[in-house]
Amino acid sequence: MKPVVISDSLALFVSSTKMKSKAMTYTGSCFCGAVEVEVTGSPEAMGYCHCRSCRSWSGGPVNAFTLWKPEAVRVTAGAEHLATFQKTPLSQRQYCAKCGGHLMTNHPPLGLVDVFAATLPTLTFTPAVHVNYAETVLPMRDGLPKLKDFPAEFGGSGETVAE
């Protein structure tokens, strides 16, 4: 299955590692295990976000993302413990109210959900791109494309920057 290419910058953003076999199911949970999530199929994209908001929320110098269509993501247990924090219209960050463990971020304007790579321990993380690299505090020389911000279709410039 090949990704739909809208432009060169979006092509960088969309992973070329789509599964060619039957839909796979991956499960994960928060830190205490009270909230469980399940994703089905293949992520639309995988990569690293270097923006200040993701760094602050994740508590790390970079966030490893896996983007899914909303219909591919399900909370299978503990929905009553799922809490949401929304700083901007772009991101609804979801976490467990019992342990504070971060699970995913819904991006309504993009029509995608970022289930954090660390939340899905059996998913082989295959990053294809870096976004918001102009904000990086941890330069990564891995040969992957580095977008200054976001693809133009997602409201960014679509510009790439050097490693």
Side-chain angles (χ1 to χ4, degrees):
M1 186 185 272
K2 293 201 176 215
V4 175
V5 178
I6 296 172
S7 76
D8 289 341
S9 64
L10 188 58
L12 291 174
F13 195 68
V14 176
S15 172
S16 62
T17 59
K18 296 287 227 166
M19 298 295 293
K20 293 181 173 112
S21 60
K22 292 182 180 180
M24 295 291 296
T25 298
Y26 304 94
T27 59
S29 66
C30 62
F31 193 60
C32 72
V35 180
E36 296 177 3
V37 297
E38 176 182 278
V39 295
T40 304
S42 299
E44 297 301 305
M46 290 190 265
Y48 300 104
C49 184
H50 295 262
C51 80
R52 183 175 182 207
S53 288
C54 282
R55 292 193 325 262
S56 179
W57 184 255
S58 71
V62 65
N63 178 54
F65 64 80
T66 68
L67 296 175
W68 304 80
K69 291 181 180 175
E71 58 270 17
V73 180
R74 261 184 352 121
V75 175
T76 57
E80 68 275 15
H81 302 297
L82 192 64
T84 302
F85 176 77
Q86 185 169 358
K87 182 178 178 181
T88 70
L90 179 63
S91 301
Q92 298 168 344
R93 300 177 187 275
Q94 297 186 300
Y95 61 97
C96 173
K98 284 182 76 172
C99 69
H102 299 180
L103 294 157
M104 58 191 154
T105 299
N106 185 24
H107 297 292
L110 306 180
L112 296 167
V113 178
D114 172 11
V115 180
F116 307 132
T119 302
L120 301 170
T122 61
L123 176 70
T124 300
F125 181 64
T126 311
V129 68
H130 292 263
V131 296
N132 296 302
Y133 201 70
E135 297 181 44
T136 194
V137 297
L138 179 66
M140 298 172 71
R141 308 215 186 284
D142 56 10
L144 294 176
K146 314 290 192 277
L147 290 178
K148 175 183 173 184
D149 41 41
F150 283 114
E153 296 77 12
F154 292 160
S157 68
E159 296 175 31
T160 58
V161 296
E163 285 194 332

